[in-house]
Amino acid sequence: MPYVMVQIPKTPAPASPAQRSVPTSADVARLAGVSRATVSYVLNNTSAVRISEPTRRRVHDAAKELGYVPHAAARSLRAGHSRMVLTPAPSFPVGSLYGQFLGDLQTALGRLDYTVVQHGSVGLHGDEAARAWAELRPVAVLVSGSGLGPKGVTVLKRSGVRAVVSLGPESVEGAHALLMDYEAVGHCAGSHLYDRGRRRIGVVVPEEDGLESFSTPRLEGVRRALHGTDASVTELPLAYTEESAARLAARWRDLGLDAVFAYNDEYAMLLMRALQDEGVRVPADTAVIGADDLMLGRLLRPRLSTVHIELPSGRELAELVDRAVRNPGAAPETHKVLGATVVHRESS
């Protein structure tokens, strides 16, 4: 019996997402009916070339349909530098005010076509951390606090970083500086309590690591405000826990204090609740003031007095970064920022 061999072709399996070809700018150009140069101008937000709004929409719609994303490394090669702005992750507990500031900054930098990356350099400090940041080849680095020295600035610039910006109480040689006058916050609080007739004033100093660069100047600001007066200042270490606040409140009457500047609104709310649990009346027995002007402080009873802190806008800082990136050889700029004003409410 004769046999006939028949070869049945295999039906190719559908390509998995990983196997499909990556869309290119040429694909976007074909779908949108424009040149690759136009795609590049549109997706890189190039302002030097005028492109009509309908064309821009076609390019964006085509890129979205194809799932096309510009290649950051290729764009960096063309520009001669990256568009990455690196912000080291804070080594201290970040409050809502600072978090809002960072959010505004990231939005403003995004509008200028920068990509913000937060770097967690756990266990690294100072110049050692700067070397870790330099490995990523960012175009700019924004450092909060006092964790960077002149050597670190040099390391960053030698790696190609065009802008190094420090945000803190002191400037760093070679870096642009936004000087934050944290003493002014304590000075406002101390002056307010003294003007309200308080003379035995406590100042909360958080026990959490990383807050010293904020808490020490605030304490000194209170001392400066009361220097040469008949008022006394008592330093009050406090951890941000209910147990720590309860222990401090339990010995409050022995301390003999009639007012307290509680570092910020969160510590003020924590301590005020503990004082009230101990039967200490606010403000009749003890006046309380915080800082940061959080909305939650207005919902307390009594409403919390506070120091309103005016941080630089994200747009202003983003523009400083952009100027420095465009002109890396310019002399470092120094700007004094952080206004402080008292918001008087019922707790003081």
Side-chain angles (χ1 to χ4, degrees):
M1 181 175 182
Y3 291 91
V4 178
M5 296 183 66
V6 178
Q7 186 174 3
I8 302 175
K10 286 187 177 180
T11 303
S16 68
Q19 294 171 326
R20 291 178 187 142
S21 61
V22 177
T24 66
S25 61
D27 299 325
V28 177
R30 277 193 295 271
L31 185 58
V34 300
S35 68
R36 291 185 68 179
T38 299
V39 171
S40 177
Y41 293 145
V42 171
L43 298 183
N44 290 316
N45 295 319
T46 302
S47 58
V49 179
R50 174 174 278 179
I51 298 174
S52 68
E53 192 55 37
T55 300
R56 288 183 180 276
R57 281 199 299 271
R58 286 207 314 275
V59 170
H60 283 296
D61 290 345
K64 184 176 181 181
E65 181 178 337
L66 293 171
Y68 173 76
V69 178
H71 198 296
R75 183 169 58 177
S76 297
L77 286 173
R78 287 194 301 270
H81 57 79
S82 76
R83 300 293 290 178
M84 182 202 304
V85 177
L86 186 145
T87 61
S91 58
F92 50 85
V94 176
S96 60
L97 181 68
Y98 189 78
Q100 180 183 341
F101 165 67
L102 286 180
D104 291 344
L105 172 60
Q106 290 179 1
T107 300
L109 285 168
R111 292 195 181 109
L112 294 174
D113 197 30
Y114 292 97
T115 299
V116 181
V117 174
Q118 192 170 80
H119 185 271
S121 46
V122 179
L124 301 178
H125 305 284
D127 300 335
E128 186 181 3
R131 282 189 286 273
W133 307 333
E135 289 180 5
L136 298 178
R137 297 297 190 268
V139 73
V141 175
L142 309 181
V143 186
S144 300
S146 55
L148 183 68
K151 289 183 179 179
V153 173
T154 301
V155 167
L156 290 170
K157 288 188 173 181
R158 285 178 177 170
S159 73
V161 174
R162 293 188 165 206
V164 182
V165 182
S166 66
L167 297 85
E170 298 176 350
S171 59
V172 181
E173 183 182 343
H176 299 272
L178 294 181
L179 299 180
M180 318 290 268
D181 186 6
Y182 298 120
E183 272 198 31
V185 179
H187 193 280
C188 281
S191 298
H192 171 73
L193 294 173
Y194 187 84
D195 291 343
R196 302 296 298 171
R198 309 294 172 155
R199 297 295 182 267
R200 301 179 305 280
I201 298 171
V203 178
V204 166
V205 177
E207 293 183 341
E208 281 68 28
D209 292 336
L211 292 178
E212 300 85 358
S213 59
F214 303 96
S215 61
T216 300
R218 294 185 186 195
L219 173 61
E220 291 307 312
V222 175
R223 286 176 171 155
R224 183 163 55 87
L226 303 179
H227 180 72
T229 70
D230 57 341
S232 62
V233 178
T234 301
E235 184 176 340
L236 302 171
L238 177 65
Y240 192 67
T241 65
E242 289 183 284
E243 295 76 15
S244 181
R247 288 194 295 270
L248 178 57
R251 59 190 183 91
W252 197 260
R253 291 183 175 85
D254 294 334
L255 293 170
L257 302 175
D258 63 5
V260 59
F261 168 46
Y263 174 68
N264 69 11
D265 287 353
E266 292 173 306
Y267 283 84
M269 290 184 277
L270 175 72
L271 180 57
M272 192 163 82
R273 180 73 269 171
L275 291 174
Q276 290 171 328
D277 287 346
E278 281 291 323
V280 177
R281 298 170 301 167
V282 177
D285 300 327
T286 299
V288 178
I289 185 170
D292 291 353
D293 195 12
L294 302 183
M295 186 182 72
L296 189 57
R298 303 170 215 166
L299 306 180
L300 296 181
R301 295 298 180 270
R303 294 177 178 85
L304 180 64
S305 293
T306 188
V307 178
H308 177 80
I309 299 173
E310 194 69 38
L311 289 171
S313 73
R315 180 183 58 80
E316 291 170 339
L317 182 50
E319 289 174 352
L320 169 59
V321 171
D322 192 48
R323 283 198 306 275
V325 168
R326 292 174 184 274
N327 189 8
E333 298 181 29
T334 298
H335 300 274
K336 291 185 178 181
V337 296
L338 195 150
T341 55
V342 169
V343 180
H344 179 209
R345 300 194 185 106
E346 299 156 6
S347 70
S348 63

